Amino acid sequence: MDRLNGEKCRLRIRVAGIVQGVGFRPFVHGLASSLSLVGIVGNNHAGVFIEVEGSAGALEEFLGRLERDAPALAVIEHIEAEQIAPVGEDGFVIVPSQSGGERQTLVSPDTATCDDCLRELFDLADRRFRYPFINCTNCGPRFTIIRDVPYDRPFTTMAGFTMCEACEREYRNPQDRRFHAQPVCCPACGPSLRLLARDGTPIRGDPIDAAAGLLTAGKVVAVKGLGGYHLAVIATSEAAAAALRSRKHREDKPFAVMVRDVDTARALCDVGAEEERVLSTPRRPVVLLRRKPGAQVAPSVAPGNRYLGLILPYTPLHHLLADRLGTPFVLTSGNSSDEPIAYLDDDALERLGHIADAFLTHDRPIHMRTDDSVTRVVGNRERILRRSRGFAPEPAVLPAPLRRPVLACGAELKNTFCVAKDRRAFVSHHIGDLENYETLRAFRQGIEHFTRLFDVHPEVVAHDLHPEYLSTKYAMELVDLDTVAVQHHHAHVAACLAENGETGPVIGVAFDGLGLGTDGSMWGGEFLIADLVSFERVGHLQQLPMPGGAAAVKEPWRMAAVYLDAAFEGQPPSGLGVARSHENLWEQVLRVAHHGTNSPMTSSAGRLFDAIGAIVGVRGRVNYEGQAAVELEQLADPTETSTYRIALDGAEPFRLPGVDLVRAVVGDLQRGTDPRVVAARFHNGLGDAVVEACARVRGSTGLTSVALSGGVFQNVLFTARVSAGLGREGFRVLAHSRFPPNDGGISLGQAVVAGARDDAGML
Ligand code: ZN
Ligand code: ZN
Ligand code: FE
């Protein structure tokens, strides 16, 4: 630029968003250099700071392209620019990170190996040929290796690896695609792979080849991934899959399967255009896909399931393994039954030693344990069922700024927590069911990590109404903070509002397993008028006793007994299969229910699905919560359009009599109707009743928007019926997409309710 030609200006620019660890500084350097601008760029607590100097025209061009041409993984929330006095330095340089100040920076999620790195991985001439830790500014580990911010190598688990000269050159060269890539490494200086026997002794030979050999021979191999250890077996071997299932004490929950590419996915499942996109995103979730008849997968991989969870390789190690194996393989979390996934090497050897025959492991430590995320595509849109690796810790932007920072502790099952300040809510990765010491420890450590990483000092803590949830007990320990108890189903609806950027009021339909209500009974089939501050319960499913409490969740036949008893006033038709299968305890359970001993009243929709599942003959006992409901959906014939009628009563709050559905189901079964048709009509009947109930609420309130939340809305058939019906009736439907409808979304809902009440001066 000609210095004599026009005046020189200097801008100080701040960029906020996900701008660290995504190649933003090199991008700025390149952009500034190409426009012959001088100045500096660096990371600080708030994101990226820039000073640029040059002609007004070049600066304008710079600002425009800063946003337009930003790197693929960057998420720019806002850019601030102010004019300052020119300095007149010689060139444009990247300066060291500034520490201190209130942290506002964001951390990028872990990102699947990019195409450029993949090409090098399989390029014989490349110095990283077949190196399992290849990465660049556009891909690789992020959230799982960050110990602290700013995102610089000393604050990651790569701190212990000193770069070799060649790597250092790439790292320092602004023209290189590894410029300032923090995890950059190579075979000479980086982590290395090892294959260990279950007793920890090394197995000779190339670790990938040897591991592939063991897998092909039907062995179980533990594989260290980004967020923890997985357990792998060949997906075509029934003996191997069954062995893994029994050693893991996992009876029926389906295993995820890794396939090397989309074509292989197509051989096993139907893959639509949106499903292909979701499978291939750098976030790389497990995607639930409809399996093709005759798909070459052993029965024990996903017993009795119409869907398969498929995932594409997301680390170089996965790519190498998939390439050597040439066949799909199970890749399921490295844990025993309900414990959290193992992520520390010694702990993994100890805990998985009785499951895995060998360990494919390495010496790059994992700092934050994260499971794979699980999504599916419904209505041409991705719907998250479990939000974890690849998504966390990307924040949700709140509809309104918070007055004070909030910690929300979430629910008990599928727990996540959430820390929030200003307009950002950081919902944690999936923590798990808070039922054991290990998971509780992961929960506590996670909260510590998030509050430090995002510099949130909570002044308000939100929790569920249920006093026995370990998350509630944790909140109660924080005696210095203002506490907010948020009713479970209000939190569900608030989460749906928040993710849609709305504040209500809406008609909230919260259908799930169980959550404690304000009247002390267990809710779960709720119609609320809700905004972020408060709610009114305007209707619900008819209440019935849950004989034996928790036992009724594990044994859906108990709910069948209670529903049949109520539907037929103690005289259900004889010869029903479910009654015959459980006749020895049937009367006793009904006596317990009538008596009310250990039989909390519930309006749960999940329990109604359970009861119908047991009556139709799906199963009387379950191995995981909601299994009967999942299988009832699988059974249902999706082409069946006829329905059962439910009569709403005139009470306030109104009641939806589930017994109407039970009578219709029994009637059809006795006429010999195909159970697949009966299951479908039940879905349609309950869905139609929800639509009718919403129409009634609209009649008395004028509200025309409906928010759908709760675990039952993971049921595609039911959700489709409800959404279509509401649409036909002219309602606007708010649903979940980026956060789960199940209890994994509760912490987000709690956070926004706490924030709204704080803002309203209610604390
Ligand atoms: Zn890359
Ligand atoms: Zn190196
Ligand atoms: Fe729930």
Side-chain angles (χ1 to χ4, degrees):
M1 187 189 326
D2 187 354
R3 290 188 180 209
L4 300 172
N5 194 359
E7 219 160 293
K8 282 194 339 141
C9 308
R10 189 177 183 89
L11 289 179
R12 175 181 289 152
I13 301 168
R14 292 187 192 85
V15 188
I18 299 185
V19 289
Q20 295 187 2
V22 293
F24 204 82
R25 289 173 300 172
F27 153 69
V28 170
H29 183 278
L31 179 60
S33 307
S34 75
L35 296 169
S36 305
L37 297 169
V38 299
I40 56 168
V41 60
N43 283 344
N44 66 6
H45 61 276
V48 164
F49 65 90
I50 304 167
E51 290 185 19
V52 270
E53 192 169 320
S55 74
L59 288 176
E60 201 171 308
E61 171 83 13
F62 178 83
L63 274 177
R65 283 173 57 187
L66 190 62
E67 188 146 19
R68 244 189 357 260
D69 301 342
L73 296 183
V75 180
I76 295 180
E77 283 187 348
H78 61 260
I79 297 178
E80 252 173 55
E82 58 173 327
Q83 202 162 337
I84 55 173
V87 175
E89 64 261 74
D90 285 337
F92 195 92
V93 291
I94 295 182
V95 296
S97 298
Q98 298 174 346
S99 54
E102 198 190 353
R103 283 177 204 157
Q104 291 167 28
T105 185
L106 302 180
V107 171
S108 168
D110 299 284
T111 301
T113 312
C114 73
D115 290 344
D116 289 335
C117 285
L118 265 186
R119 263 190 295 278
E120 290 179 5
L121 184 66
F122 291 105
D123 175 3
L124 206 69
D126 194 274
R127 70 188 188 92
R128 293 188 180 87
F129 174 61
R130 287 179 61 78
Y131 181 56
F133 305 95
I134 190 168
N135 67 80
C136 72
T137 46
N138 287 327
C139 76
R142 296 290 186 273
F143 173 59
T144 52
I145 62 163
I146 293 178
R147 293 196 163 114
D148 208 343
V149 285
Y151 173 66
D152 273 340
R153 186 137 165 153
F155 295 120
T156 72
T157 65
M158 285 298 290
F161 298 94
T162 309
M163 273 182 247
C164 69
E165 248 175 66
C167 285
E168 178 113 26
R169 258 199 310 279
E170 293 169 331
Y171 182 85
R172 304 243 170 260
N173 176 7
Q175 260 44 271
D176 196 279
R177 63 184 199 84
R178 294 198 168 84
F179 182 52
H180 280 226
Q182 303 307 337
V184 69
C185 58
C186 74
C189 68
S192 54
L193 203 59
R194 292 185 307 163
L195 184 66
L196 306 177
R198 55 161 52 144
D199 64 0
T201 56
I203 295 174
R204 283 160 180 276
D206 176 84
I208 301 267
D209 290 349
L214 287 173
L215 286 168
T216 308
K219 302 290 186 193
V220 179
V221 178
V223 181
K224 186 172 177 181
L226 281 179
Y229 280 79
H230 285 103
L231 292 161
V233 291
I234 285 296
T236 44
S237 162
E238 173 58 16
L244 176 57
R245 210 165 262 294
S246 84
R247 291 187 207 170
K248 219 172 116 71
H249 302 295
R250 178 157 165 151
E251 273 142 335
D252 295 309
K253 271 192 195 170
F255 291 145
V257 174
M258 184 168 272
V259 289
R260 60 186 292 181
D261 50 30
V262 174
D263 284 343
T264 315
R266 277 223 171 80
L268 301 179
C269 295
D270 295 329
V271 183
E274 179 62 7
E275 287 164 331
E276 175 172 350
R277 189 194 65 78
V278 173
L279 264 175
S280 314
T281 57
R283 300 180 187 275
R284 288 294 150 95
V286 172
V287 186
L288 300 188
L289 298 164
R290 189 167 278 270
R291 78 198 277 175
K292 284 183 171 163
Q296 291 293 308
V297 169
S300 283
V301 170
N305 210 306
R306 276 192 201 170
Y307 289 82
L308 271 180
L310 297 189
I311 184 167
L312 297 184
Y314 56 88
T315 68
L317 174 54
H318 293 150
H319 281 286
L320 292 169
L321 196 58
D323 181 62
R324 267 293 182 269
L325 271 173
T327 175
F329 53 104
V330 165
L331 203 63
T332 185
S333 4
N335 56 8
S336 193
S337 56
D338 295 327
E339 289 173 357
I341 179 170
Y343 73 110
L344 300 170
D345 300 328
D346 293 344
D347 180 58
L349 272 173
E350 192 181 310
R351 276 170 52 201
L352 307 179
H354 64 286
I355 305 176
D357 298 297
F359 288 78
L360 187 56
T361 183
H362 58 76
D363 52 352
R364 185 182 69 205
I366 296 170
H367 186 68
M368 239 321 108
R369 122 172 61 208
T370 50
D371 295 84
D372 290 327
S373 296
V374 182
T375 75
R376 76 193 323 181
V377 173
V378 183
N380 213 29
R381 217 170 142 195
E382 182 176 18
R383 314 273 173 182
I384 294 193
L385 300 175
R386 181 166 76 191
R387 185 180 177 278
S388 208
R389 181 199 38 80
F391 293 88
E394 216 174 86
V397 176
L398 298 176
L402 297 171
R403 200 168 71 83
R404 293 188 290 169
V406 175
L407 163 66
C409 297
E412 174 98 330
L413 300 178
K414 300 184 170 70
N415 176 275
T416 62
F417 60 83
C418 171
V419 298
K421 71 172 175 185
D422 303 326
R423 292 197 61 166
R424 288 190 189 133
F426 300 92
V427 176
S428 76
H429 49 297
H430 168 82
I431 302 290
D433 298 347
L434 289 182
E435 294 176 325
N436 56 54
Y437 174 74
E438 263 295 303
T439 316
L440 184 64
R441 201 169 65 165
F443 170 80
R444 288 174 178 275
Q445 286 173 343
I447 291 176
E448 257 168 57
H449 189 54
F450 268 61
T451 50
R452 208 179 56 191
L453 214 51
F454 303 116
D455 208 29
V456 179
H457 306 281
E459 292 175 38
V460 177
V461 58
H463 59 82
D464 196 274
L465 279 189
H466 203 303
E468 294 305 316
Y469 284 2
L470 293 181
S471 53
T472 305
K473 290 183 171 172
Y474 175 86
M476 292 307 174
E477 290 170 16
L478 307 174
V479 288
D480 297 338
L481 309 188
D482 284 336
T483 55
V484 183
V486 183
Q487 198 279 325
H488 189 92
H489 302 94
H490 185 208
H492 270 309
V493 174
C496 187
L497 282 171
E499 106 149 74
N500 286 284
E502 305 213 0
T503 54
V506 286
I507 302 169
V509 182
F511 273 28
D512 68 351
L514 297 168
L516 184 60
T518 51
D519 61 358
S521 74
M522 298 307 285
W523 295 3
E526 311 307 311
F527 294 85
L528 313 177
I529 298 172
D531 58 20
L532 296 184
V533 175
S534 61
F535 73 96
E536 184 194 344
R537 188 193 198 202
V538 291
H540 56 84
L541 278 182
Q542 167 195 26
Q543 289 196 312
L544 284 174
M546 259 196 322
V553 178
K554 293 195 182 98
E555 300 181 9
W557 71 266
R558 292 177 182 238
M559 291 313 298
V562 170
Y563 263 105
L564 286 166
D565 186 62
F568 296 96
E569 288 162 4
Q571 305 287 324
S574 56
L576 287 171
V578 64
R580 263 188 285 122
S581 310
H582 302 279
E583 62 186 347
N584 53 336
L585 284 173
W586 195 266
E587 289 305 322
Q588 192 185 325
V589 157
L590 284 178
R591 266 200 307 280
V592 166
H594 292 155
H595 212 257
T597 19
N598 190 20
S599 299
M601 296 298 286
T602 188
S603 52
S604 163
R607 297 293 84 78
L608 173 59
F609 273 87
D610 279 358
I612 301 293
I615 293 169
V616 172
V618 166
R619 59 172 56 245
R621 289 193 172 81
V622 296
N623 293 313
Y624 60 90
E625 206 256 351
Q627 186 180 10
V630 167
E631 291 175 2
L632 187 66
E633 180 190 0
Q634 306 260 335
L635 176 71
D637 174 0
T639 62
E640 174 64 30
T641 52
S642 63
T643 187
Y644 298 142
R645 289 280 309 152
I646 298 191
L648 287 187
D649 72 6
E652 280 187 22
F654 63 81
R655 282 165 309 192
L656 235 74
V659 289
D660 288 0
L661 294 170
V662 172
R663 276 191 294 268
V665 164
V666 169
D668 257 354
L669 288 175
Q670 290 196 306
R671 279 186 288 276
T673 311
D674 185 337
R676 286 176 297 184
V677 170
V678 176
R681 289 179 179 166
F682 162 73
H683 278 79
N684 296 343
L686 188 59
D688 295 350
V690 167
V691 175
E692 193 188 329
C694 289
R696 178 190 287 201
V697 179
R698 177 171 60 186
S700 58
T701 62
L703 294 172
T704 55
S705 295
V706 179
L708 305 177
S709 192
V712 171
F713 286 103
Q714 295 171 110
N715 182 318
V716 176
L717 202 58
F718 175 69
T719 306
R721 185 81 180 192
V722 172
S723 302
L726 288 172
R728 249 192 327 271
E729 291 287 322
F731 283 100
R732 202 169 63 97
V733 180
L734 305 180
H736 286 285
S737 168
R738 292 173 301 127
F739 290 87
N742 59 45
D743 285 3
I746 286 283
S747 64
L748 175 62
Q750 289 174 345
V752 291
V753 169
R757 289 196 191 150
D758 191 32
D759 205 42
M762 293 164 70
L763 306 192

